[in-house]
Amino acid sequence: MENTYTAAHCVYTRGQGFNRNFYFVPAERFGSAPYGGFSWSSAAVMTNWLTLGGRRWDVGLIKLRNNGSNRPVTFYTGWLGRAWNWGYTQ
């Protein structure tokens, strides 16, 4: 399974709760899905988005399931990795 980052307001509507039925189709164009689609298994937002809102905390995460061929979405889209605490010049 792979994680996909998005905006918290796409994942959670303040005052209403978590949105449902996420489905990601990489490279979708005019209804064509050349790499298939990926359903989701879980979603999360920052606690401060729930309590405070605002752009600073508008970060969401959706965990995608592998497709029918048991391949993660990054097999088709690539992956740049993650890093923390690097200087701004990195």
Side-chain angles (χ1 to χ4, degrees):
M1 289 190 214
E2 299 290 334
N3 296 324
T4 300
Y5 297 95
T6 187
H9 69 265
C10 295
V11 176
Y12 185 92
T13 302
R14 294 184 72 225
Q16 295 180 19
F18 279 93
N19 301 325
R20 306 233 185 280
N21 298 325
F22 301 108
Y23 195 73
F24 179 64
V25 181
E28 184 276 334
R29 184 171 174 151
F30 304 118
S32 172
Y35 306 114
F38 296 82
S39 62
W40 69 294
S41 64
S42 63
V45 296
M46 299 178 82
T47 302
N48 282 347
W49 172 255
L50 302 175
T51 58
L52 302 172
R55 276 192 236 172
R56 182 176 184 180
W57 309 111
D58 195 7
V59 178
L61 177 105
I62 300 172
K63 183 172 272 196
L64 298 174
R65 291 186 170 106
N66 292 348
N67 67 5
S69 301
N70 202 32
R71 291 194 168 149
V73 67
T74 55
F75 178 84
Y76 304 98
T77 62
W79 185 62
L80 296 175
R82 296 186 272 276
W84 286 268
N85 299 322
W86 285 79
Y88 288 107
T89 59
Q90 298 298 327

